[in-house]
Amino acid sequence: MARERRGGNTPLPFNNVKIEDSFWSAKIQANLERTIPNQYGKLVETGIIEALRGNWESGMPLEPHIFRDSDLAKWVEGASYTIAILPDPKIEKLLDEVVDLIVASQQPDGYLNTHYTLVEPDKRWTNLRDQHELYCAGHLMEAAVAHYRATGKRKLLDCLCRYADHIDSVFGAEPGKKRGYCGHEEIELALVKLYEATGNERYLKLSAYFIDERGQKPHYYDQEAIDRGEDPEKYWAGANYEYMQAQIPVRDLEIVSGHAVRAMYLVAAMADLADLNKDETLVKTLERLWDQLVSKRMYITAGIGPSGRNEGFTTDYDLPNETAYSETCAAIGMVLWAHRMLRFDLDSKYGDVMERALYNGIISGVSLDGTKYFYQNPLGSLAKHHRTEWFDCSCCPTNIVRLIPSLGGYVYAASDKDAIVHLYVQGEGRMAVAGKAVTLKQETNFPWDGDVRVSVGVDEAAKFGICLRIPSWCKNASAKVNGEGVDMSANVCKGYLRIEREWKNGDVIELALPMTVRRIYAHPEAPQDAGRVAIQRGPMVYCFEEIDNPVSPHKIVLPESAALEAKFEPDLLGGVITLTGEALCLDDSGWEGKLYGDFAPATKPCTVKAIPYYAWDNRDACRMNMWVINKP
Amino acid sequence: MARERRGGNTPLPFNNVKIEDSFWSAKIQANLERTIPNQYGKLVETGIIEALRGNWESGMPLEPHIFRDSDLAKWVEGASYTIAILPDPKIEKLLDEVVDLIVASQQPDGYLNTHYTLVEPDKRWTNLRDQHELYCAGHLMEAAVAHYRATGKRKLLDCLCRYADHIDSVFGAEPGKKRGYCGHEEIELALVKLYEATGNERYLKLSAYFIDERGQKPHYYDQEAIDRGEDPEKYWAGANYEYMQAQIPVRDLEIVSGHAVRAMYLVAAMADLADLNKDETLVKTLERLWDQLVSKRMYITAGIGPSGRNEGFTTDYDLPNETAYSETCAAIGMVLWAHRMLRFDLDSKYGDVMERALYNGIISGVSLDGTKYFYQNPLGSLAKHHRTEWFDCSCCPTNIVRLIPSLGGYVYAASDKDAIVHLYVQGEGRMAVAGKAVTLKQETNFPWDGDVRVSVGVDEAAKFGICLRIPSWCKNASAKVNGEGVDMSANVCKGYLRIEREWKNGDVIELALPMTVRRIYAHPEAPQDAGRVAIQRGPMVYCFEEIDNPVSPHKIVLPESAALEAKFEPDLLGGVITLTGEALCLDDSGWEGKLYGDFAPATKPCTVKAIPYYAWDNRDACRMNMWVINKP
């Protein structure tokens, strides 16, 4: 029997959702046609496939890396989501082969890790702090659940259950078990997925143990270091337990800090447990952390973690643009967290960030053709950035390969009372509301246009609510049901329009979310954006690339009076709405031969053109600027 | 017999110059009282003293580092300059002891290097590209010349001549010699000093060889790597021969690029050779490189090398502020180069940069009390920077310890026809002009006030010129001789006022260089300063520290109409002129709880106060901003 949750709504599984739009469909197709095969080739090159076969011995090249299993696992996860919605026998066969190899590499006691099995067989579980051992296990669990959900095949799921059982026998608060937890969070949320797929409460309990144990004193990592003969004080420069959110127990956290991806995987699991265990102390912690992060430490792209030094957070309002780290994985982590918050608190502040991340800080991480990636996602560039095909640490590409085809899972949710639409994507979602089958069909040209027609499909008329997120970027949303206006002020609660009535088959909601070109400013405490303005239209933040503009985009001055015209350009960057208008730019006249002078550079008229941020760097590397000079 | 040089002027030796002001005297005193003893203590801690004694064996801690000899050498050089002007028997005795140790560590064949002698005795001269072997030799030569000039003692000089002779026997274009040169330039300018101290032309020739050989093909570093069994293609990521200015022969260089300190030591040596060898191809190259650097790649502080990645240059106009590397050593290198250019081309464009570096980008590198250092000299800070007592690589502190007491050497020069004043520093310089003794005595409160009274001392009346640099920051300079006005327009050539007449003992020149508060703007191509303004008064660039201002200094908006009042504050930061006035600042009102919004932050009146940049971070670490928001 399913647990009673804190929140009443459950997201629709990704494979209950059809995506039939022009925007995401193209990305999912590119993921199938290019990303999945390309990444498989790269993974083969890293040696992970041969390592699974046991074909590696000391002294050979391509020593199995401590986190290589996770790369493969994320690829399995992404390929599984993909074939569930775009069946592809070739990929399915390849997946079966990979699954067979993974399962065959499992040790008799259930243990499963190529690095430790081949490279350091006597050092299992001796360095949880640094070695990503439980992290890899977590990604394998997520892969197993995805493969099972996509194909119905239990082989990998059963294998990972055996591994989870083994882990459960090693870790826990019970006497005789290690009281450890992973330096890189991940297994916590994976165990929740394993619980949801199997109903085995032990996995949920183990996840809660890992969360509860984190940051307790005496500190496990101190003891573990001493056991290795190391001085825990001499941990690597710049890092400390805050780096991995283990400086204090998680319920005492006041701010999101340290390594950004780790932090996101932690709070995502905390949100799962808050919901499933109705854990109000976790709820309070998460609400505090969310508000602090979103109001002080998040880029306008929903990217997070400005610094490369710790791949993470620095101080409030420190949001450098050109040197932004803003790792793709971290923006994906924002979606994981936001989506889980929506399960127990239907508030558009979460849905808005989820949308912001999806249309900006995440998809900027992959080229339009699905073959090249950013690890860092800067918000300005002096042409020093350019996507590449792979990284030594390729967590971001393999996070992209699983995020894109799982998009459907973020669009809808359902509860006993409501059918919920978080995101506007043409297609449909099939759900059960109070035990009755409901289909919502969206027709829209989102994200380029904010008109959404939602058609209701029910077998028989039924009374329930339909909840539609009203994005915070839209100040004048309106809606009609079967042509009749809806009173927005009476029916919008926490950013969701809820229309309760007896819905009949074929009823139509017409939601209008006018997309205007908006000037966005940052809080005055944010040093790097002071005196600057950014442009947003609908969910998309825009940027200026040098190639589209007559001057280096750092020279653009945008007067408040400048009107920018939105125009769909079908042949540009896969088809985007560009924003064009008359602005100003700094003028080089009089500056020949000198670097400093005693008059402010003049400005002159200049026609500028902005493109959606996500689409930048899909041509030659060139300069890019998002936060241009504001002119009041 | 001295060589005939290209230029006619020669700088006065530092010990022919008295400094009797309040500004530099305090720094020289702090250098004697604190910097020299403190640094000696730090050097002892690094193990270099014990290494010189031969008290190191494999497996012991404190393995002699490849560039540790250079740290000690620069300390010897700085201590020598200091005791020459501020005699101190205790430091002189310590110097003698250190000199004895250095000399005793010399090998029978003249070789002298603690790392190679103790750690890798069979690997001498096998990796010139990376190992700083000739670089260390160069610094020891500079130390030896300084010790000799300061004390008259030849022991270290003779020792280094033996080492130079050894090096000359190993390197050169002659058959049987290695055609190598050092990855880190330094020995080239040191050999010129050794030549000047000894008159031995072989040292000058060896210096010219190193310069001429640099970047020739087949590439020495390729062959050297192959000889070590390495693949020259697999040189470390991000570096290449341009990093060390060895990508092409030096006369073909079009831009200054790569590692900034290396580049400066190279061009300094090239300027020496251009002058001494009347080498017009070098002159042309240097003029090209100078103009390119100063007009496109130099911070307003005369700091250079914006990037930490290569400790050096990136692209034209790329001058990030908070992440500026702008190593102290590189600004010192600018002085070395500028000063040498003045020897053969008396143009204030060189003197101006020398002054700019001395009062800004160099002395920002050491705390007012002479005990703490910056390696990087950012032009903005979010309170993440703070001076420290030492670095693993302490090239900058040991460059400071030698620069400060050598200041006198940069103030004056003399030729057959002219007595020349490059810098305004209260005190006097004794020189010979056309064989006659001339003393120029400066009375001034520079750098806080631009009135300079120059008294002429001659044994008998004589006709010659006195040249005074008219700084480019001064737009309305005027001068009087014995109370009578001088026609500036007729007598200023290339930024030097030249007054030729029959000078009598006691003649007085009154030079007035009014110091106004100036607003400085950067070339519109410089992205990081776009829309920004900086403040300069006299030679000094100013900055805003949070501690002196009611708001974080990134929020300061400086309207063009804002009047800033200069006021000497004797108790602040050792006595500085601050600039105070009514400006604006960004207002947080209406921004509670949100990070992004759709209205530009308002501004409100705000009294702001700026301090000279060099004096920043002498209190608690706090935010600092130099380029504030401009309001036309």
Side-chain angles (χ1 to χ4, degrees), chain B residues 387-406:
Chain B
R387 288 192 185 78
T388 54
E389 289 188 353
W390 201 244
F391 308 95
D392 285 341
C393 169
S394 267
C395 54
C396 293
T398 54
N399 240 335
I400 283 284
V401 80
R402 67 185 189 134
L403 183 278
I404 300 282
S406 71

PDB file of all heavy atoms in Angstrom, chain B residues 387-406:
ATOM      1  N   ARG B 387      45.947  40.588   2.113  1.00  0.00           N
ATOM      2  CA  ARG B 387      47.394  40.340   2.044  1.00  0.00           C
ATOM      3  C   ARG B 387      47.817  39.249   3.023  1.00  0.00           C
ATOM      4  O   ARG B 387      47.231  39.110   4.089  1.00  0.00           O
ATOM      5  CB  ARG B 387      48.160  41.616   2.359  1.00  0.00           C
ATOM      6  CG  ARG B 387      48.104  42.649   1.268  1.00  0.00           C
ATOM      7  CD  ARG B 387      49.117  43.753   1.539  1.00  0.00           C
ATOM      8  NE  ARG B 387      48.978  44.814   0.554  1.00  0.00           N
ATOM      9  CZ  ARG B 387      48.013  45.727   0.605  1.00  0.00           C
ATOM     10  NH1 ARG B 387      47.159  45.701   1.592  1.00  0.00           N
ATOM     11  NH2 ARG B 387      47.936  46.645  -0.328  1.00  0.00           N
ATOM     12  N   THR B 388      48.838  38.499   2.652  1.00  0.00           N
ATOM     13  CA  THR B 388      49.355  37.462   3.547  1.00  0.00           C
ATOM     14  C   THR B 388      50.864  37.613   3.688  1.00  0.00           C
ATOM     15  O   THR B 388      51.507  38.370   2.954  1.00  0.00           O
ATOM     16  CB  THR B 388      49.039  36.053   3.012  1.00  0.00           C
ATOM     17  OG1 THR B 388      49.524  35.965   1.669  1.00  0.00           O
ATOM     18  CG2 THR B 388      47.550  35.783   3.020  1.00  0.00           C
ATOM     19  N   GLU B 389      51.415  36.896   4.651  1.00  0.00           N
ATOM     20  CA  GLU B 389      52.822  37.101   5.016  1.00  0.00           C
ATOM     21  C   GLU B 389      53.816  36.465   4.055  1.00  0.00           C
ATOM     22  O   GLU B 389      54.989  36.832   4.048  1.00  0.00           O
ATOM     23  CB  GLU B 389      53.062  36.542   6.424  1.00  0.00           C
ATOM     24  CG  GLU B 389      52.400  37.383   7.490  1.00  0.00           C
ATOM     25  CD  GLU B 389      52.802  36.925   8.888  1.00  0.00           C
ATOM     26  OE1 GLU B 389      53.485  35.892   9.010  1.00  0.00           O
ATOM     27  OE2 GLU B 389      52.423  37.634   9.833  1.00  0.00           O
ATOM     28  N   TRP B 390      53.359  35.469   3.318  1.00  0.00           N
ATOM     29  CA  TRP B 390      54.296  34.760   2.468  1.00  0.00           C
ATOM     30  C   TRP B 390      53.512  33.899   1.499  1.00  0.00           C
ATOM     31  O   TRP B 390      52.315  33.671   1.713  1.00  0.00           O
ATOM     32  CB  TRP B 390      55.229  33.886   3.335  1.00  0.00           C
ATOM     33  CG  TRP B 390      56.535  33.493   2.689  1.00  0.00           C
ATOM     34  CD1 TRP B 390      56.931  32.214   2.369  1.00  0.00           C
ATOM     35  CD2 TRP B 390      57.616  34.347   2.312  1.00  0.00           C
ATOM     36  NE1 TRP B 390      58.179  32.239   1.810  1.00  0.00           N
ATOM     37  CE2 TRP B 390      58.631  33.530   1.759  1.00  0.00           C
ATOM     38  CE3 TRP B 390      57.813  35.730   2.362  1.00  0.00           C
ATOM     39  CZ2 TRP B 390      59.832  34.049   1.274  1.00  0.00           C
ATOM     40  CZ3 TRP B 390      59.020  36.244   1.884  1.00  0.00           C
ATOM     41  CH2 TRP B 390      60.004  35.408   1.353  1.00  0.00           C
ATOM     42  N   PHE B 391      54.130  33.455   0.450  1.00  0.00           N
ATOM     43  CA  PHE B 391      53.494  32.557  -0.504  1.00  0.00           C
ATOM     44  C   PHE B 391      54.435  31.379  -0.779  1.00  0.00           C
ATOM     45  O   PHE B 391      55.651  31.507  -0.604  1.00  0.00           O
ATOM     46  CB  PHE B 391      53.219  33.268  -1.838  1.00  0.00           C
ATOM     47  CG  PHE B 391      52.472  34.560  -1.689  1.00  0.00           C
ATOM     48  CD1 PHE B 391      53.157  35.773  -1.625  1.00  0.00           C
ATOM     49  CD2 PHE B 391      51.092  34.581  -1.598  1.00  0.00           C
ATOM     50  CE1 PHE B 391      52.469  36.973  -1.492  1.00  0.00           C
ATOM     51  CE2 PHE B 391      50.405  35.777  -1.455  1.00  0.00           C
ATOM     52  CZ  PHE B 391      51.093  36.972  -1.406  1.00  0.00           C
ATOM     53  N   ASP B 392      53.887  30.275  -1.209  1.00  0.00           N
ATOM     54  CA  ASP B 392      54.772  29.166  -1.607  1.00  0.00           C
ATOM     55  C   ASP B 392      55.740  29.649  -2.675  1.00  0.00           C
ATOM     56  O   ASP B 392      56.913  29.314  -2.672  1.00  0.00           O
ATOM     57  CB  ASP B 392      53.943  27.983  -2.139  1.00  0.00           C
ATOM     58  CG  ASP B 392      53.270  27.239  -1.000  1.00  0.00           C
ATOM     59  OD1 ASP B 392      53.720  27.396   0.154  1.00  0.00           O
ATOM     60  OD2 ASP B 392      52.289  26.528  -1.252  1.00  0.00           O
ATOM     61  N   CYS B 393      55.206  30.406  -3.616  1.00  0.00           N
ATOM     62  CA  CYS B 393      56.064  31.067  -4.599  1.00  0.00           C
ATOM     63  C   CYS B 393      56.103  32.538  -4.205  1.00  0.00           C
ATOM     64  O   CYS B 393      55.148  33.265  -4.434  1.00  0.00           O
ATOM     65  CB  CYS B 393      55.492  30.885  -6.001  1.00  0.00           C
ATOM     66  SG  CYS B 393      56.320  31.923  -7.215  1.00  0.00           S
ATOM     67  N   SER B 394      57.195  32.950  -3.585  1.00  0.00           N
ATOM     68  CA  SER B 394      57.248  34.295  -3.013  1.00  0.00           C
ATOM     69  C   SER B 394      58.087  35.256  -3.845  1.00  0.00           C
ATOM     70  O   SER B 394      58.829  36.093  -3.324  1.00  0.00           O
ATOM     71  CB  SER B 394      57.733  34.214  -1.564  1.00  0.00           C
ATOM     72  OG  SER B 394      56.613  34.142  -0.695  1.00  0.00           O
ATOM     73  N   CYS B 395      57.936  35.148  -5.140  1.00  0.00           N
ATOM     74  CA  CYS B 395      58.653  36.058  -6.024  1.00  0.00           C
ATOM     75  C   CYS B 395      58.258  37.506  -5.786  1.00  0.00           C
ATOM     76  O   CYS B 395      59.093  38.403  -5.875  1.00  0.00           O
ATOM     77  CB  CYS B 395      58.421  35.676  -7.487  1.00  0.00           C
ATOM     78  SG  CYS B 395      56.674  35.555  -7.928  1.00  0.00           S
ATOM     79  N   CYS B 396      56.974  37.750  -5.496  1.00  0.00           N
ATOM     80  CA  CYS B 396      56.524  39.138  -5.345  1.00  0.00           C
ATOM     81  C   CYS B 396      57.070  39.803  -4.084  1.00  0.00           C
ATOM     82  O   CYS B 396      57.615  40.911  -4.162  1.00  0.00           O
ATOM     83  CB  CYS B 396      55.002  39.218  -5.394  1.00  0.00           C
ATOM     84  SG  CYS B 396      54.322  38.786  -7.011  1.00  0.00           S
ATOM     85  N   PRO B 397      56.961  39.177  -2.904  1.00  0.00           N
ATOM     86  CA  PRO B 397      57.575  39.808  -1.729  1.00  0.00           C
ATOM     87  C   PRO B 397      59.062  40.090  -1.926  1.00  0.00           C
ATOM     88  O   PRO B 397      59.552  41.167  -1.548  1.00  0.00           O
ATOM     89  CB  PRO B 397      57.366  38.760  -0.627  1.00  0.00           C
ATOM     90  CG  PRO B 397      56.128  38.035  -1.033  1.00  0.00           C
ATOM     91  CD  PRO B 397      56.183  37.985  -2.541  1.00  0.00           C
ATOM     92  N   THR B 398      59.776  39.174  -2.546  1.00  0.00           N
ATOM     93  CA  THR B 398      61.214  39.384  -2.709  1.00  0.00           C
ATOM     94  C   THR B 398      61.521  40.335  -3.860  1.00  0.00           C
ATOM     95  O   THR B 398      62.642  40.826  -3.979  1.00  0.00           O
ATOM     96  CB  THR B 398      61.944  38.035  -2.907  1.00  0.00           C
ATOM     97  OG1 THR B 398      61.334  37.322  -3.989  1.00  0.00           O
ATOM     98  CG2 THR B 398      61.863  37.192  -1.636  1.00  0.00           C
ATOM     99  N   ASN B 399      60.544  40.620  -4.682  1.00  0.00           N
ATOM    100  CA  ASN B 399      60.730  41.688  -5.664  1.00  0.00           C
ATOM    101  C   ASN B 399      60.483  43.037  -5.004  1.00  0.00           C
ATOM    102  O   ASN B 399      61.148  44.030  -5.332  1.00  0.00           O
ATOM    103  CB  ASN B 399      59.801  41.493  -6.871  1.00  0.00           C
ATOM    104  CG  ASN B 399      60.582  41.342  -8.170  1.00  0.00           C
ATOM    105  OD1 ASN B 399      61.722  41.817  -8.294  1.00  0.00           O
ATOM    106  ND2 ASN B 399      59.983  40.671  -9.139  1.00  0.00           N
ATOM    107  N   ILE B 400      59.534  43.066  -4.082  1.00  0.00           N
ATOM    108  CA  ILE B 400      59.261  44.294  -3.318  1.00  0.00           C
ATOM    109  C   ILE B 400      60.483  44.673  -2.478  1.00  0.00           C
ATOM    110  O   ILE B 400      60.874  45.857  -2.438  1.00  0.00           O
ATOM    111  CB  ILE B 400      58.021  44.083  -2.414  1.00  0.00           C
ATOM    112  CG1 ILE B 400      56.732  44.166  -3.228  1.00  0.00           C
ATOM    113  CG2 ILE B 400      57.999  45.074  -1.245  1.00  0.00           C
ATOM    114  CD1 ILE B 400      56.312  45.572  -3.626  1.00  0.00           C
ATOM    115  N   VAL B 401      61.080  43.697  -1.830  1.00  0.00           N
ATOM    116  CA  VAL B 401      62.180  44.007  -0.904  1.00  0.00           C
ATOM    117  C   VAL B 401      63.372  44.615  -1.644  1.00  0.00           C
ATOM    118  O   VAL B 401      64.172  45.342  -1.059  1.00  0.00           O
ATOM    119  CB  VAL B 401      62.592  42.751  -0.083  1.00  0.00           C
ATOM    120  CG1 VAL B 401      63.489  41.824  -0.880  1.00  0.00           C
ATOM    121  CG2 VAL B 401      63.274  43.156   1.230  1.00  0.00           C
ATOM    122  N   ARG B 402      63.465  44.353  -2.931  1.00  0.00           N
ATOM    123  CA  ARG B 402      64.574  44.957  -3.685  1.00  0.00           C
ATOM    124  C   ARG B 402      64.142  46.223  -4.420  1.00  0.00           C
ATOM    125  O   ARG B 402      64.950  47.085  -4.703  1.00  0.00           O
ATOM    126  CB  ARG B 402      65.227  43.945  -4.635  1.00  0.00           C
ATOM    127  CG  ARG B 402      64.353  43.482  -5.782  1.00  0.00           C
ATOM    128  CD  ARG B 402      65.038  42.381  -6.602  1.00  0.00           C
ATOM    129  NE  ARG B 402      64.265  42.124  -7.806  1.00  0.00           N
ATOM    130  CZ  ARG B 402      64.764  42.005  -9.029  1.00  0.00           C
ATOM    131  NH1 ARG B 402      66.065  42.103  -9.240  1.00  0.00           N
ATOM    132  NH2 ARG B 402      63.987  41.760 -10.054  1.00  0.00           N
ATOM    133  N   LEU B 403      62.860  46.318  -4.756  1.00  0.00           N
ATOM    134  CA  LEU B 403      62.414  47.509  -5.497  1.00  0.00           C
ATOM    135  C   LEU B 403      62.415  48.746  -4.602  1.00  0.00           C
ATOM    136  O   LEU B 403      62.908  49.818  -4.998  1.00  0.00           O
ATOM    137  CB  LEU B 403      61.009  47.254  -6.069  1.00  0.00           C
ATOM    138  CG  LEU B 403      60.338  48.299  -6.951  1.00  0.00           C
ATOM    139  CD1 LEU B 403      59.666  49.406  -6.160  1.00  0.00           C
ATOM    140  CD2 LEU B 403      61.283  48.882  -7.993  1.00  0.00           C
ATOM    141  N   ILE B 404      61.847  48.619  -3.416  1.00  0.00           N
ATOM    142  CA  ILE B 404      61.652  49.798  -2.550  1.00  0.00           C
ATOM    143  C   ILE B 404      62.980  50.538  -2.295  1.00  0.00           C
ATOM    144  O   ILE B 404      63.055  51.760  -2.530  1.00  0.00           O
ATOM    145  CB  ILE B 404      60.974  49.382  -1.221  1.00  0.00           C
ATOM    146  CG1 ILE B 404      59.594  48.751  -1.472  1.00  0.00           C
ATOM    147  CG2 ILE B 404      60.907  50.559  -0.226  1.00  0.00           C
ATOM    148  CD1 ILE B 404      58.479  49.720  -1.777  1.00  0.00           C
ATOM    149  N   PRO B 405      64.018  49.856  -1.837  1.00  0.00           N
ATOM    150  CA  PRO B 405      65.245  50.602  -1.535  1.00  0.00           C
ATOM    151  C   PRO B 405      66.028  51.020  -2.774  1.00  0.00           C
ATOM    152  O   PRO B 405      66.976  51.801  -2.670  1.00  0.00           O
ATOM    153  CB  PRO B 405      66.049  49.624  -0.674  1.00  0.00           C
ATOM    154  CG  PRO B 405      65.604  48.284  -1.127  1.00  0.00           C
ATOM    155  CD  PRO B 405      64.152  48.430  -1.473  1.00  0.00           C
ATOM    156  N   SER B 406      65.634  50.509  -3.941  1.00  0.00           N
ATOM    157  CA  SER B 406      66.347  50.902  -5.165  1.00  0.00           C
ATOM    158  C   SER B 406      65.677  52.095  -5.831  1.00  0.00           C
ATOM    159  O   SER B 406      66.104  52.534  -6.902  1.00  0.00           O
ATOM    160  CB  SER B 406      66.401  49.726  -6.153  1.00  0.00           C
ATOM    161  OG  SER B 406      65.118  49.477  -6.694  1.00  0.00           O
TER     162      SER B 406
END
